[in-house]
Amino acid sequence: MKETVKKAVQDGEAYDNKRTLSQLKSIILSKGDSERERLLSGARAEAVKWTAEQTEQLDAMVAGIRADAAKRAAEITSCRLVEAETARDRSRLRLQNDLVNKALLLLGEAMADFSKRPDYRAILTGMAAEVCEGLAKNPKGRERQKIVVRLSAEDAPHGKPVADALSSLFPELGISFDPAPASITGGVFLCSEEGKWRVVADWESRVEEMADGVAKAVLAEL
């Protein structure tokens, strides 16, 4: 009889221990999900803030270029009214190309100046988070994806902190920093550990993405 009672007590204690461990596990997982969502929201906010600031700077830059383009176009037009139509067309085309190239050059220089901002590391993290978020939503099979982050030689000191921040945001991805400098003009370079894919989000690629919009804005004033 005593043995039966003793065994029943032991079984009850074991059950309570298992229930307590299960409750602790649920609490830890819940806190982990909340922290991940908080960090992800912060990275998204930084990315949105950076995009808004970039758009504002671009609008101001284009406005200045428009005024300059209009003035130069008017001067050239008045000076060449007596020239042949084909010569005027060629000159106008050259002017258009020069103004568009100047606008794109100024845009690239403005983006390069982001490295002087105190929140530059957050900007890099936000740019990389945009790429990682897409990968996290579309996993390839059950195997944990391993992603390598590379930066330009000048931005190397930000590499490990950026990789650590991304690892906190996306624990389902294996993110590491490769100190070998990437051939980019600021921004981030992400690739798979095996090198099967890569995503370049540097200033040069950003300028290329905006090229058509800048060209239309400049040419609309000519």
Side-chain angles (χ1 to χ4, degrees):
M1 182 66 178
K2 290 182 178 180
E3 292 296 329
T4 302
V5 173
K6 181 179 181 181
K7 186 176 185 304
V9 171
Q10 291 176 341
D11 290 343
E13 291 178 348
Y15 173 77
D16 290 340
N17 289 337
K18 288 182 179 179
R19 184 174 62 178
T20 300
L21 289 175
S22 178
Q23 292 174 344
L24 288 175
K25 181 179 179 181
S26 298
I27 293 172
I28 291 172
L29 290 176
S30 176
K31 289 184 176 180
D33 290 340
S34 299
E35 181 65 13
R36 177 184 179 280
E37 187 59 32
R38 184 185 70 78
L39 292 172
L40 183 57
S41 297
R44 286 173 177 166
E46 289 294 344
V48 170
K49 177 183 177 182
W50 173 80
T51 301
E53 292 174 348
Q54 178 177 287
T55 301
E56 182 179 350
Q57 291 183 8
L58 175 60
D59 289 343
M61 187 184 305
V62 169
I65 293 173
R66 283 179 178 176
D68 183 51
K71 180 179 179 181
R72 292 180 61 183
E75 292 173 351
I76 292 176
T77 300
S78 63
C79 291
R80 297 187 177 180
L81 286 177
V82 295
E83 296 180 0
E85 186 70 20
T86 54
R88 187 183 65 183
D89 289 344
R90 286 196 299 269
S91 298
R92 186 178 181 83
L93 181 60
R94 285 196 298 270
L95 172 63
Q96 291 174 351
N97 291 335
D98 288 345
L99 291 176
V100 170
N101 290 334
K102 178 184 177 182
L104 295 176
L105 179 62
L106 292 174
L107 178 58
E109 292 174 351
M111 289 182 175
D113 285 339
F114 284 149
S115 61
K116 301 175 183 177
R117 293 170 51 121
D119 60 344
Y120 183 53
R121 184 174 295 172
I123 291 175
L124 295 176
T125 302
M127 294 176 68
E130 291 179 354
V131 179
C132 292
E133 186 172 12
L135 295 172
K137 289 181 179 179
N138 300 285
K140 297 181 179 179
R142 296 183 178 180
E143 185 178 355
R144 188 186 191 199
Q145 291 195 66
K146 295 183 179 180
I147 301 171
V148 176
V149 178
R150 294 174 60 192
L151 304 177
S152 66
E154 294 77 9
D155 294 341
H158 300 293
K160 191 175 185 307
V162 168
D164 291 342
L166 293 173
S167 295
S168 297
L169 293 171
F170 306 97
E172 65 272 34
L173 301 175
I175 301 174
S176 61
F177 171 64
D178 181 359
S183 299
I184 57 176
T185 57
V188 295
F189 177 103
L190 286 84
C191 63
S192 64
E193 190 176 57
E194 304 81 10
K196 293 182 179 179
W197 58 263
R198 66 176 185 174
V199 177
V200 180
D202 66 336
W203 307 143
E204 184 175 349
S205 63
R206 294 288 181 172
V207 169
E208 290 177 357
E209 292 172 4
M210 299 180 180
D212 290 342
V214 173
K216 290 178 181 179
V218 172
L219 298 182
E221 301 298 327
L222 298 179

